[in-house]
Amino acid sequence: MQNTVFMTVSVAVVAATLTTTPSAAQASGAPSSLDWQPCPSAQAAAGQECATLQVPLDYGHPGGRTVPVAVTRLRSDRPEKRRGTLVVIPGGPGSSGVQRLAQKGPALREELDGAFDLISLDPRGVGSSVKARCGLLSADRRLVTLRPWPAPGGDVTENADRARRTAESCARNGGAVLRSFTTANEVRDIDRLRQALGERRLSVWGTSYGAYVGAVYAQTRPGHVDRLVLDSSGDPDPSRVARGWLENMSRGVADRFPDFATWAADPARDEEGLRLAEDAQDVEGLFLRIAEQLDRSPRESGTPGVPLTGNGLRQALQNSLPGDSSFPSMARLIKQVQDPQGVPTLPPDLAQAIPDEDASLMLATICNDVRWPGPSLDYAGRVATDRERYPLLAGMPVNITACAYWKDRPAGPPVRITDTGPSNILMVQSLRDPATPYSGALKMRAALGDRARMVALGQGGHGMYLGNGNACGDRAVTRFLTTGHRPAHDTYCAG
């Protein structure tokens, strides 16, 4: 799956401007018109168009202040076959829908044989949509500090200090815009886009966090959903939401690591100079020993002033597990550390701090959605237990975050996903998903009841449709979107 902070992140850093004087149409609560133009990015897909949708900052006051949300579309190139409009919802919180459509749009349009116009948006805080800043210190915006990696040995004191400092900075600097970064508002903005397009219903393909957004959209607006694909789903338990997603990553990485170990022990790696062990069972022990060595003695890297630490290696591992294509770079990093003269090359997302606007968004959405346990919880004890059970992530997923000190209460309770509504949902899920593990997806499946069918894929990886090379799973999703046919029962595709 795209690199993750809580579920996925792939952010663009583009400035946006607040609109404080709404037009008459916006003041009445009606959606603004869209002025479609060719997307300015050189990475845009051929024919991809972009526009700006003005939406209420606060939907409780639809005639008040508005903010810009960047939207995009790729129209069907076979209008005689067009069925409707498919909204592509990326992961995150923090991924760009404009970028996602640029990356996936051409293949998706071909796969669906022109059946849909394809649309997406940059959620608030992302890309060319409205931004907010917490004013976080650069040292607090590195992936190994933005995520709550405990100190060597499991101490969480520094994590608690950083979490408090971060929450206070967000409360001081974020304002009403930061408070508006919620799943509920992303769902409202998607529906406002639907209205602006003049569509009665949308089909939906949501991936990772986007799958949760899609499920909430279908739960709250069942009459506006045609066909819904939930790709790589997390546990929708409304009492935990993002906290549960983070905690479940310990299980997800444990499920997925054997795939990397098998690859890294394959004799075929000898020719590439990337074989880590003769037996796959030895790869985990090797990784843990090297991470502990780096805990004690960080190594200077190819990025001046940014050494490779044990937590840096653990974070690099987590980033490498969503797709097999990242296995070589992970094995190469381990080999560099094993070489006494080697200079580790840090992955780009470890080599530099995350921009303040992007880090602020990723924190705000998960903290605004649901109330997290406060600092009085025994985080040290939770970390110790998780480190013992799931040593690869050293207790990070259950550690204290800024949400424990968040100043603003959620605007409303999270939506409970239920089995009430149309039976028009298809789930696709790998058995060894490192970010949204199969065990959590089964809870989404149970919550949906007969509204859904699941296609389980007997492989590892995250973000499966047109993403990890499972032709059987791709066929099932394509058939559902283009014909409406779902399996009569939950089904399985071999890896």
Side-chain angles (χ1 to χ4, degrees):
M1 148 182 169
Q2 307 111 278
N3 289 340
T4 61
V5 167
F6 289 92
M7 294 185 78
T8 61
V9 59
S10 173
V11 290
V13 186
V14 184
T17 304
L18 285 176
T19 299
T20 57
T21 54
S23 67
Q26 294 153 9
S28 69
S32 63
S33 60
L34 297 172
D35 179 19
W36 293 107
Q37 300 292 333
C39 293
S41 171
Q43 286 74 46
Q48 186 177 356
E49 296 176 296
C50 289
T52 299
L53 178 70
Q54 295 291 338
V55 299
L57 172 63
D58 180 357
Y59 277 91
H61 299 88
R65 187 181 184 181
T66 66
V67 293
V69 168
V71 299
T72 187
R73 73 178 178 184
L74 192 60
R75 303 185 77 173
S76 169
D77 56 353
R78 296 161 190 161
E80 72 281 2
K81 294 186 175 182
R82 182 184 181 278
R83 171 185 173 78
T85 296
L86 174 71
V87 58
V88 177
I89 309 179
S95 292
S96 164
V98 175
Q99 290 182 356
R100 181 72 167 167
L101 198 60
Q103 295 161 358
K104 292 288 188 181
L108 188 60
R109 184 162 64 173
E110 184 66 25
E111 180 75 12
L112 299 178
D113 196 30
F116 295 95
D117 290 340
L118 308 175
I119 64 168
S120 193
L121 56 77
D122 283 349
R124 302 182 191 206
V126 177
S128 295
S129 294
V130 63
K131 298 290 188 66
R133 296 167 58 94
C134 286
L136 304 179
L137 300 174
S138 176
D140 293 343
R141 290 187 276 107
R142 295 193 174 276
L143 202 46
V144 291
T145 53
L146 194 59
R147 278 189 168 177
W149 290 100
D155 185 79
V156 304
T157 304
E158 186 176 356
N159 299 118
D161 291 343
R162 181 179 294 112
R164 182 188 302 107
R165 180 169 66 241
T166 296
E168 290 173 350
S169 188
C170 288
R172 186 167 56 249
N173 300 312
V177 174
L178 190 78
R179 290 193 294 272
S180 81
F181 295 168
T182 65
T183 297
N185 276 340
E186 182 170 350
V187 165
R188 294 177 181 119
D189 293 346
I190 290 171
D191 203 54
R192 186 58 66 101
L193 175 57
R194 177 193 62 78
Q195 296 172 52
L197 292 170
E199 296 283 0
R200 186 171 68 88
R201 295 191 299 175
L202 298 174
S203 289
V204 180
W205 171 34
T207 303
S208 192
Y209 168 67
Y212 175 70
V213 175
V216 172
Y217 187 85
Q219 187 70 45
T220 56
R221 293 159 176 80
H224 292 311
V225 176
D226 184 8
R227 296 164 184 170
L228 171 61
V229 174
L230 303 183
D231 185 342
S232 305
S233 299
D235 179 359
D237 181 346
S239 68
R240 302 174 67 208
V241 192
R243 178 168 62 96
W245 302 334
L246 181 59
E247 292 179 3
N248 287 347
M249 287 181 181
S250 292
R251 169 71 180 273
V253 167
D255 289 345
R256 174 64 162 151
F257 187 85
D259 292 337
F260 171 70
T262 298
W263 178 93
D266 191 320
R269 305 286 85 78
D270 282 330
E271 294 182 7
E272 305 161 356
L274 297 178
R275 193 177 186 190
L276 299 181
E278 293 186 0
D279 192 312
Q281 295 182 355
D282 296 331
V283 175
E284 181 172 349
L286 171 67
F287 176 85
L288 293 174
R289 288 193 299 274
I290 291 176
E292 290 168 1
Q293 291 169 7
L294 291 170
D295 283 339
R296 296 189 296 269
S297 301
R299 288 278 293 275
E300 291 300 321
S301 74
T303 303
V306 186
L308 178 63
T309 63
N311 284 338
L313 187 72
R314 296 179 184 103
Q315 184 62 70
L317 172 70
Q318 189 173 21
N319 289 353
S320 73
L321 294 179
D324 293 6
S325 62
S326 297
F327 288 177
S329 60
M330 187 66 222
R332 190 171 297 112
L333 181 61
I334 293 173
K335 283 288 190 181
Q336 290 171 346
V337 177
Q338 286 182 301
D339 180 358
Q341 306 303 317
V343 178
T345 301
L346 296 182
D349 49 8
L350 294 182
Q352 56 192 4
I354 296 171
D356 188 22
E357 291 169 331
D358 302 334
S360 302
L361 158 71
M362 292 183 287
L363 290 168
T365 302
I366 64 168
C367 297
N368 286 335
D369 268 4
V370 66
R371 194 70 170 173
W372 291 50
S376 62
L377 189 69
D378 181 18
Y379 286 99
R382 288 161 53 84
V383 165
T385 299
D386 207 59
R387 285 168 67 89
E388 182 175 356
R389 186 177 184 186
Y390 300 112
L392 288 167
L393 293 190
M396 179 275 290
V398 301
N399 201 0
I400 192 169
T401 72
C403 299
Y405 296 94
W406 207 247
K407 304 302 181 183
D408 296 303
R409 290 187 174 274
V415 170
R416 179 176 293 279
I417 305 301
T418 75
D419 60 0
T420 301
S423 184
N424 60 351
I425 302 172
L426 182 69
M427 298 178 63
V428 58
Q429 182 78 29
S430 80
L431 296 185
R432 300 186 298 280
D433 187 319
T436 53
Y438 184 65
S439 55
L442 287 177
K443 294 181 179 180
M444 175 70 85
R445 175 69 188 87
L448 291 168
D450 196 53
R451 294 177 66 194
R453 302 289 185 270
M454 177 186 278
V455 179
L457 310 182
Q459 65 180 76
H462 179 75
M464 304 311 295
Y465 183 49
L466 303 182
N468 275 276
N470 191 295
C472 169
D474 289 350
R475 283 194 301 269
V477 174
T478 298
R479 186 181 185 190
F480 170 63
L481 286 174
T482 56
T483 72
H485 174 84
R486 295 186 314 178
H489 308 283
D490 291 355
T491 189
Y492 172 79
C493 288

